[in-house]
Amino acid sequence: VQLVESGGGFVQSGGSLRLSCAASGDSCDDYVVGWFRQAPGKEREGVSFVSQRCEAIYYSGAVKGRFTLFRDRWKNLVSLQMDSLQPEDTAVYYCASYKYASASPSMSMDEDEYEYWGQGTQVTVSS
């Protein structure tokens, strides 16, 4: 599975960006997908996660109410709509995934669980 992010860029505080993560290879139905970010000098943190078959979505407290995750199962595409961006959202954003072929929806927030990673896309928010 290869993941390719797009949509990063530069935006002023209060603005919006939409990130996309395109997956090649196997179907997304059996894969958990997560968005992580890493700001300069800080550890990577989880932002939003979606379980296999899109049955559950989680947002971290830092982005809840501002970010929205969309998953297009037919196009193997996972998007992150980011609104009301703030300077503290500045980071390199990564999408990642791992296979979880189970009937029960599940998602991990532990980056060590994620097997596949995209190359990252820079998001910069000016004050």
Side-chain angles (χ1 to χ4, degrees), residues 1-121:
V1 175
Q2 290 185 327
L3 304 176
V4 179
E5 300 105 336
S6 61
F10 182 92
V11 66
Q12 291 188 333
S13 180
S16 298
L17 285 174
R18 188 176 181 109
L19 306 182
S20 292
C21 176
S24 63
D26 208 340
S27 165
C28 284
D29 281 355
D30 292 332
Y31 286 80
V32 175
V33 178
W35 282 96
F36 295 82
R37 68 185 182 184
Q38 188 166 22
K42 294 187 177 181
E43 293 187 353
R44 189 154 53 190
E45 64 173 344
V47 174
S48 182
F49 307 90
V50 58
S51 69
Q52 77 278 27
R53 294 190 299 279
C54 320
E55 293 186 4
I57 296 175
Y58 169 87
Y59 300 96
S60 71
V63 307
K64 192 172 185 179
R66 300 187 298 121
F67 291 12
T68 307
L69 189 150
F70 298 94
R71 188 168 189 173
D72 186 329
R73 296 166 59 183
W74 303 113
K75 295 181 179 179
N76 283 358
L77 190 69
V78 178
S79 300
L80 187 68
Q81 177 67 36
M82 306 186 297
D83 298 317
S84 302
L85 283 163
Q86 302 300 317
E88 52 265 33
D89 295 316
T90 295
V92 177
Y93 284 72
Y94 301 87
C95 69
S97 72
Y98 65 92
K99 190 168 185 176
Y100 191 81
S102 170
S104 301
S106 177
M107 65 183 85
S108 174
M109 300 165 200
D110 181 356
E111 64 178 76
D112 292 337
E113 296 288 333
Y114 288 77
E115 182 176 0
Y116 307 102
W117 289 82
Q119 80 284 2
T121 185

